[in-house]
Amino acid sequence: MNSPMEDRLRDALVSAGATVEPETLTPLRTPDRHRRFRVDLRLVAVAAAVAGVAMFLMLRPTHHDAPVLAAGMVPVNWSEGEPEISVFLCKPDSPFPACADDVRPDRGAIEQALRARPEVKSVVYEDQQVNYERFRQSQVGRDGKLLQAVTVDDMPDAFRLRMRQGTDWSAAMAAASELDGVSRVINQVCAAKRAELFEIIKEKIFGPDDEVCMTP
Amino acid sequence: MATLFAEHHLGLVRLALIMVGDRATAEDVVQEAFARTHAGRARLRDPSSALAYVRSAVLNGCRSVLRRRATVFRRAVPYEPPVWSAESAALLGEERREVLVALRGLPQRQREALTLRYYFDLTDQEVADAMGVSGSTARSTIARGLSALARALGEDA
């Protein structure tokens, strides 16, 4: 069917193309916003150390692409009387494994399940705008680089839980983190305790420890 | 868009390689196209046309590389021998190198059309979409390119 010229051309093109082997390709760098984000990672770390803001950063390989850096940024300043546990919800393109397959959180169902827990005293919903505002306020007086890097869209929606003293919070956290559409559950009290230095957070929250600051 | 690039990264680099000749430039072209289309991803309404769109972006990048080279009086020696160079004959074989050299001698549009058709096995319409021309133009460009190539190599189309 094919003419000899067509076959020859095909063959030459295939062999020329084959000189680029897949393993040797330089990975594509994720441009623009993500690249800016990666640069800002160091700033984030510094700001976190200074401001007592914990950043929950995750690197996730997307296919063969460069890792995409994503962040759920949560100020861990906590003072007496504030909700102790935060339950963060998945958002589109969330990097958290719990949010794979583009899970859309069913806000009503999650709230109902949280209220049903005996350890939970009260539940308040805070959308990303509220969380951004909280984050913004944590940055007042800082040099603003972190503020520039983080947008409202980077913020997750969340439920804030007031907990009953003397109950097993980690059981409630584990249960909450298993609900569909929940990306991460943070114990703000123990996270705040450890937020003095970013390094400590990294070690303690991500490492094994008795007290559960974060699930999953 | 990022996923699309990840899946087609290799193919796009190979396409660019055949167009610009050296691998380093080919990778740069694809990277730049990726950066550009990534910035414009919100404007892309029809996801099914995304692949044609990134192919066009890569071809456009190749065109500007070639334009730049043509305007530089004596361009710097490439630090990598192009695929159609004598050095690469060892890798490809002389027969294949001849074809690549002849391909390189064709007008840019014909090279693009032939590469898209015979390397990527695209249909006339897909070639047309990637090149931003009509289906019939793509068809005739392929036919003309093929006979020009055959002429250059002293073969029958």
Side-chain angles (χ1 to χ4, degrees):
Chain A
M1 201 60 191
N2 288 325
S3 75
M5 185 62 253
E6 288 176 298
D7 289 339
R8 234 187 120 181
L9 176 56
R10 239 185 255 278
D11 173 62
L13 289 173
V14 167
S15 64
T19 61
V20 182
E21 284 149 356
E23 315 68 78
T24 60
L25 271 189
T26 314
L28 288 168
R29 300 176 296 278
T30 318
D32 302 331
R33 195 163 158 272
H34 288 128
R35 191 189 299 167
R36 183 155 55 85
F37 236 104
R38 196 173 308 175
V39 171
D40 282 343
L41 184 53
R42 258 158 302 163
L43 299 173
V44 166
V46 171
V50 176
V53 177
M55 308 292 159
F56 300 100
L57 301 166
M58 286 199 46
L59 282 171
R60 171 186 72 155
T62 54
H63 305 271
H64 323 289
D65 204 347
V68 172
L69 177 64
M73 307 224 170
V74 189
V76 293
N77 300 332
W78 180 84
S79 44
E80 203 63 44
E82 288 182 0
E84 294 94 353
I85 303 237
S86 298
V87 177
F88 294 99
L89 306 189
C90 294
K91 57 197 185 73
D93 299 323
S94 173
F96 294 102
C99 304
D101 307 325
D102 212 11
V103 184
R104 293 294 153 91
D106 179 345
R107 195 182 133 185
I110 294 170
E111 180 164 357
Q112 206 172 13
L114 294 174
R115 286 189 189 283
R117 296 293 307 187
E119 304 89 344
V120 176
K121 196 153 59 174
S122 69
V123 177
V124 177
Y125 178 75
E126 289 181 351
D127 65 10
Q128 53 180 196
Q129 188 67 51
V130 174
N131 281 312
Y132 179 77
E133 190 53 34
R134 182 196 303 277
F135 163 74
R136 203 181 59 75
Q137 277 165 10
S138 77
Q139 295 304 299
V140 170
R142 314 285 167 200
D143 68 359
K145 284 190 177 132
L146 198 54
L147 263 182
Q148 281 166 25
V150 177
T151 68
V152 176
D153 281 344
D154 295 316
M155 292 291 155
D157 297 330
F159 285 104
R160 308 277 180 194
L161 314 183
R162 289 238 165 84
M163 305 299 287
R164 288 183 209 286
Q165 295 302 323
T167 57
D168 182 5
W169 294 6
S170 62
M173 288 175 69
S177 68
E178 274 165 24
L179 297 171
D180 278 349
V182 169
S183 63
R184 192 129 287 200
V185 182
I186 310 273
N187 179 339
Q188 303 277 165
V189 185
C190 80
K193 258 193 324 214
R194 294 168 185 184
E196 287 143 23
L197 279 171
F198 186 66
E199 286 309 312
I200 297 178
I201 298 175
K202 223 166 56 181
E203 225 170 73
K204 298 284 182 168
I205 298 187
F206 291 87
D209 202 272
D210 302 344
E211 196 177 8
V212 184
C213 277
M214 183 163 95
T215 56
Chain B
M1 193 56 91
T3 315
L4 198 66
F5 262 91
E7 279 168 9
H8 295 278
H9 187 194
L10 182 63
L12 293 169
V13 169
R14 287 172 169 173
L15 170 64
L17 172 76
I18 290 163
M19 290 300 138
V20 300
D22 73 283
R23 175 178 171 164
T25 312
E27 289 201 28
D28 285 351
V29 164
V30 173
Q31 171 62 50
E32 273 170 37
F34 177 47
R36 259 200 320 279
T37 53
H38 195 272
R41 67 198 188 285
R43 277 177 283 134
L44 195 63
R45 289 220 189 82
D46 179 8
S48 64
S49 68
L51 184 55
Y53 180 67
V54 300
R55 282 190 187 122
S56 310
V58 169
L59 287 179
N60 278 330
C62 295
R63 284 178 205 149
S64 33
V65 164
L66 296 171
R67 243 196 327 271
R68 244 184 344 257
R69 283 183 185 169
T71 55
V72 174
F73 174 60
R74 195 181 270 278
R75 61 179 258 260
V77 183
Y79 56 93
E80 188 185 3
V83 284
W84 50 73
S85 71
E87 289 92 323
S88 74
L91 207 59
L92 301 174
E94 187 54 33
E95 290 258 300
R96 288 166 176 162
R97 190 178 79 89
E98 272 174 23
V99 177
L100 294 173
V101 170
L103 182 67
R104 193 185 164 218
L106 299 182
Q108 174 71 15
R109 293 279 168 171
Q110 292 182 7
R111 290 171 61 185
E112 291 175 4
L114 289 180
T115 306
L116 292 169
R117 158 54 56 81
Y118 291 105
Y119 187 47
F120 294 95
D121 286 317
L122 301 190
T123 64
D124 287 340
Q125 193 52 53
E126 285 169 332
V127 172
D129 290 343
M131 294 181 60
V133 298
S134 74
S136 59
T137 305
R139 195 158 42 245
S140 64
T141 308
I142 292 167
R144 270 199 317 260
L146 199 60
S147 51
L149 195 65
R151 243 188 340 271
L153 292 165
E155 278 202 35
D156 294 330

